[in-house]
Amino acid sequence: MNNFKNKFYMGLIFFIFFIIVIRLFHLQIIKGEVYNKLSEQNRVRIIKIPAPRGIIYDRNGIPLVENIPSFSVSLSPEYTQNIDIKILSEILNIPEEEIANKIKKKPESIYIPIRIKENLTFKEVAMLEARKSEIPGLIIEIEIKRHYVYKEATAHLIGYLGKITEEHIKNNPSFRELPSYFKVGQAGLEYIYDDKLRGIPGEKVVEVDALGRELRLIKEIPPRKGEDLYLTIDAFLQESAYETLKNYDGTFIAIKPDSGEILALVSTPSFDSNLFVEGIDPKYWTALINNPKKPLLNKAIQGLYPPGSTFKVITALAGLEEGLITPEQILTTCHGGLSFGKWTFGCWRKDGHGAVNLRRALAESCDVYFYELGRILGINRISKYAKTLGLGSPTGFSSDEKNGLVPDEEWKKKVLKTNWFLGDTFNTSIGQGFLKVTPLQMALVMATIVNGGIKYKPTIIRNMQPEFEKLNLNQNNLDIIKDALIAVVNEPSGTAAQARSNLIKFGGKTGTVQVVSKKVKEKFSYKHFEHHAWFIGFAPLDTPEIAFSVIIEHGGSGGAVAAPVAKNILEGYILKKRQLNVEN
């Protein structure tokens, strides 16, 4: 009996020993790596360090975007169970519920701290440091915050930053390894060149005690700063354009005619990009997206408008290139309108322009002249030259720019299931009807006219090799058009005569786009029934350095509104440069 008991106890001991060995094998061999990591996490904290983003400069080295220091506070996830939320709430002036919700949304990795608040005041930092022993796992960091120097003036051009979203992670899985509070480009150049600007994050390995307090730095891999961007933008022209346009709904875009470099791009109303850096207030965001004036829309490349009388430049060039008119030829006599069947196509000057040639027709914007020229050309030839000059297709500047529309007989039959009529040609020849263009496209048309027929692909990055196409256009015909555009501003009868400047001589073409019928406009006085006002131009006269377009939505007359706006932008630009030279 005793022998049996001894064997039983011996067997039990061996069985228990066997279980212990198996358990040790499981813990140390099979699960060894897992528990080793957990052990390390109890004494080591790995903190990701955002890389300073690259600075964005204008063509003269003036920073448009810069980085400034900022404090933030986070909590290490493994210590959140022991946090007294009330202390943080009192110091940071954040509701306890909001802090609790942030803690509940723990990151996937224990190495990623939970961001509680950014842009701390010095008082908040001091109070947190004083009570650090009461808040296990507290992390206070000095960060680099993005600052947009020109605020609303560059918002549509440069864009803004925002936190990483699921959409970002879907498009770029490597983002999953970054803390959710890291900022990435959301719009504009910040988005397009995010990979270059963002740089490479670093990390800091820190030994901590049981309360999460830092004891010593074990290892640090410094972040690598993002690349700087040097733009073709002129900060003074950009600022002058915004200051002039800020009380209008519209856009201004300027191009260097001999390279296609964008010198300025402003769209109004605008928004302050800095409001996105700290996380935009939901109410402000809702107001932005619901605003009928569409402040988030970049009207320079996404706004679609009939070009109005600015299109007469293309109709005139088509007539010259096809050899159907000469500059001196009196093509028609304007009596204030043209009758066609039961319809009357009026001229903006009700008492008429009388006998007009090409130069006077452009300078005084005679509609009847261009009705007749359109009849002679036909829609297909008008369409051909419009497309040759870049209308109806994107310029290649941005992936989100609009195509616009250049209609012809085939388009109308395919899309509207009806025939093209001569009345459609009349409307197209003066820039009305089905035509749709972007302000960027019209600025490029002007650049191509004054640079000798070279169509450049617009660029925003400095020192890039320009891409261009030399169009088969007669230089003499281009000179004829340019001379007439000079008369638009600089002769008393020109439609933009009131915009003449003593500081800078410039030329161009006005345009007034009818939004509703004359009967409706006369019956109602709503602001949104007013015409759109266009002006496309160039300066200075002899050797143009700027080609530009400006449109004022519901502004009225191109000659009375858009051309003076262009004048004010150019004069403001010159005065800013003069002031800088005096100060230097």
Side-chain angles (χ1 to χ4, degrees):
M1 187 69 178
N2 289 333
N3 189 36
F4 174 78
K5 285 182 179 180
N6 290 336
K7 288 183 178 180
F8 173 79
Y9 288 126
M10 286 295 292
L12 183 61
I13 291 169
F14 277 114
F15 177 76
I16 294 171
F17 181 74
F18 178 75
I19 295 299
I20 292 173
V21 170
I22 294 297
R23 182 61 176 160
L24 289 173
F25 179 81
H26 180 266
L27 292 175
Q28 296 186 20
I29 306 301
I30 298 177
K31 291 289 186 179
E33 188 176 346
V34 173
Y35 287 109
N36 183 58
K37 284 184 179 180
L38 290 173
S39 175
E40 285 296 308
Q41 289 169 4
N42 284 330
R43 72 176 189 89
V44 172
R45 178 187 300 144
I46 298 178
I47 302 171
K48 291 285 186 180
I49 308 171
R53 286 180 75 85
I55 307 299
I56 301 178
Y57 297 94
D58 87 330
R59 66 186 302 109
N60 300 308
I62 298 172
L64 304 175
V65 184
E66 58 188 8
N67 298 322
I68 58 175
S70 172
F71 289 95
S72 68
V73 59
S74 303
L75 295 174
S76 188
E78 66 265 39
Y79 299 99
T80 53
Q81 298 296 325
N82 304 317
I83 292 294
D84 186 345
I85 293 176
K86 187 176 180 181
I87 297 175
L88 281 175
S89 176
E90 291 173 354
I91 295 174
L92 301 176
N93 194 27
I94 297 176
E96 292 183 34
E97 183 181 357
E98 183 179 330
I99 297 175
N101 288 335
K102 289 183 177 181
I103 291 174
K104 284 179 184 176
K105 297 177 182 177
K106 286 187 178 182
E108 292 183 8
S109 171
I110 200 169
Y111 292 128
I112 299 178
I114 301 168
R115 180 60 54 88
I116 302 300
K117 187 176 180 181
E118 299 174 351
N119 305 299
L120 302 179
T121 65
F122 287 112
K123 181 180 179 181
E124 288 171 335
V125 172
M127 292 176 70
L128 286 171
E129 288 287 356
R131 304 189 67 176
K132 202 169 184 180
S133 61
E134 302 174 52
I135 311 172
L138 185 74
I139 305 169
I140 299 174
E141 296 175 288
I142 298 178
E143 296 182 336
I144 300 298
K145 185 175 77 170
R146 206 64 159 162
H147 177 64
Y148 299 94
V149 180
Y150 291 88
K151 300 181 179 179
E152 292 91 347
T154 56
H156 293 92
L157 178 71
I158 293 176
Y160 52 88
L161 300 183
K163 293 182 180 179
I164 298 170
T165 64
E166 285 301 320
E167 188 65 25
H168 287 114
I169 294 172
K170 182 180 177 181
N171 295 331
N172 188 345
S174 65
F175 280 1
R176 192 174 293 281
E177 299 174 9
L178 299 176
S180 60
Y181 56 81
F182 270 38
K183 304 294 194 306
V184 295
Q186 305 284 340
L189 296 176
E190 290 277 33
Y191 172 75
I192 295 170
Y193 293 98
D194 184 68
D195 287 346
K196 289 185 176 181
L197 290 166
R198 190 175 353 113
I200 301 174
E203 65 179 32
K204 193 166 58 170
V205 181
V206 179
E207 184 179 1
V208 295
D209 63 15
L211 293 177
R213 292 174 298 197
E214 294 183 10
L215 298 177
R216 67 187 181 92
L217 178 66
I218 298 174
K219 184 175 73 170
E220 182 173 9
I221 302 173
R224 189 183 303 170
K225 179 179 174 292
E227 294 180 34
D228 295 335
L229 278 186
Y230 290 85
L231 306 184
T232 60
I233 293 296
D234 188 308
F236 298 120
L237 183 59
Q238 184 81 13
E239 189 177 23
S240 177
Y242 177 73
E243 288 301 316
T244 306
L245 274 177
K246 65 182 179 182
N247 295 321
Y248 296 99
D249 301 338
T251 186
F252 173 85
I253 185 162
I255 296 171
K256 204 165 182 292
D258 61 355
S259 66
E261 294 176 346
I262 303 290
L263 296 171
L265 188 158
V266 171
S267 180
T268 56
S270 187
F271 56 91
D272 185 354
S273 296
N274 291 306
L275 296 177
F276 288 82
V277 173
E278 301 175 8
I280 191 165
D281 182 273
K283 290 182 180 179
Y284 182 72
W285 173 250
T286 301
L288 279 178
I289 61 177
N290 291 333
N291 189 331
K293 294 183 179 181
K294 300 180 180 179
L296 294 172
L297 183 73
N298 186 345
K299 295 173 182 174
I301 62 173
Q302 295 174 318
L304 287 175
Y305 311 90
S309 291
T310 61
F311 189 79
K312 291 173 182 175
V313 172
I314 295 174
T315 308
L317 182 63
L320 291 170
E321 287 291 310
E322 292 293 320
L324 299 177
I325 55 170
T326 62
E328 300 80 16
Q329 179 183 355
I330 305 297
L331 191 62
T332 187
T333 300
C334 173
H335 298 291
L338 179 150
S339 295
F340 174 64
K342 63 180 181 180
W343 294 280
T344 298
F345 293 83
C347 184
W348 71 269
R349 182 180 287 175
K350 293 181 179 179
D351 58 351
H353 290 86
V356 287
N357 60 15
L358 177 63
R359 188 175 190 276
R360 188 165 168 234
L362 277 173
E364 300 180 26
S365 202
C366 176
D367 293 325
V368 172
Y369 179 96
F370 288 96
Y371 292 147
E372 186 59 33
L373 180 53
R375 185 208 303 267
I376 296 170
L377 279 165
I379 185 56
N380 290 333
R381 279 192 281 206
I382 295 174
S383 175
K384 168 191 166 185
Y385 283 92
K387 290 176 180 177
T388 297
L389 286 163
L391 303 189
S393 58
T395 65
F397 171 66
S398 172
S399 61
D400 58 354
E401 65 177 304
K402 299 295 186 182
N403 291 358
L405 172 64
V406 176
D408 56 22
E409 293 179 20
E410 182 182 354
W411 170 85
K412 191 179 181 188
K413 188 167 289 187
K414 180 180 179 180
V415 175
L416 301 183
K417 313 299 182 186
T418 186
N419 294 326
W420 186 271
F421 301 109
L422 182 57
D424 296 325
T425 303
F426 289 159
N427 284 330
T428 304
S429 66
I430 64 165
Q432 297 278 174
F434 305 114
L435 272 169
K436 291 287 187 294
V437 301
T438 66
L440 172 58
Q441 289 172 340
M442 293 309 294
L444 282 170
V445 167
M446 183 53 58
T448 303
I449 296 291
V450 300
N451 71 16
I454 302 173
K455 184 172 70 175
Y456 283 96
K457 176 182 176 181
T459 181
I460 196 78
I461 304 300
R462 195 89 165 103
N463 296 325
M464 283 188 67
Q465 190 68 28
E467 297 180 36
F468 62 89
E469 177 187 359
K470 182 71 173 76
L471 304 181
N472 186 26
L473 298 173
N474 186 291
Q475 182 62 55
N476 185 54
N477 291 336
L478 295 173
D479 290 340
I480 292 167
I481 299 293
K482 182 181 172 184
D483 177 64
L485 298 181
I486 292 173
V488 169
V489 180
N490 298 283
E491 293 187 3
S493 60
T495 54
Q498 60 183 296
R500 270 178 290 179
S501 170
N502 294 324
L503 286 179
I504 184 169
K505 296 295 183 184
F506 65 97
K509 182 71 190 77
T510 58
T512 304
V513 178
Q514 184 175 307
V515 176
V516 296
S517 68
K518 290 182 180 179
K519 288 183 179 180
V520 172
K521 185 175 181 296
E522 289 169 0
K523 187 175 180 180
F524 302 98
S525 58
Y526 296 137
K527 168 72 175 174
H528 278 70
F529 287 169
E530 283 294 331
H531 302 319
H532 294 328
W534 272 99
F535 187 75
I536 60 174
F538 62 95
L541 298 180
D542 295 333
T543 54
E545 298 174 8
I546 299 175
F548 59 86
S549 74
V550 58
I551 183 169
I552 307 298
E553 294 180 354
H554 310 292
S557 162
V561 179
V565 163
K567 167 195 171 183
N568 291 338
I569 291 172
L570 295 175
E571 288 187 342
Y573 170 56
I574 290 172
L575 291 174
K576 283 179 184 294
K577 291 187 73 173
R578 285 183 181 177
Q579 183 182 5
L580 179 69
N581 290 335
V582 169
E583 290 176 352
N584 289 344

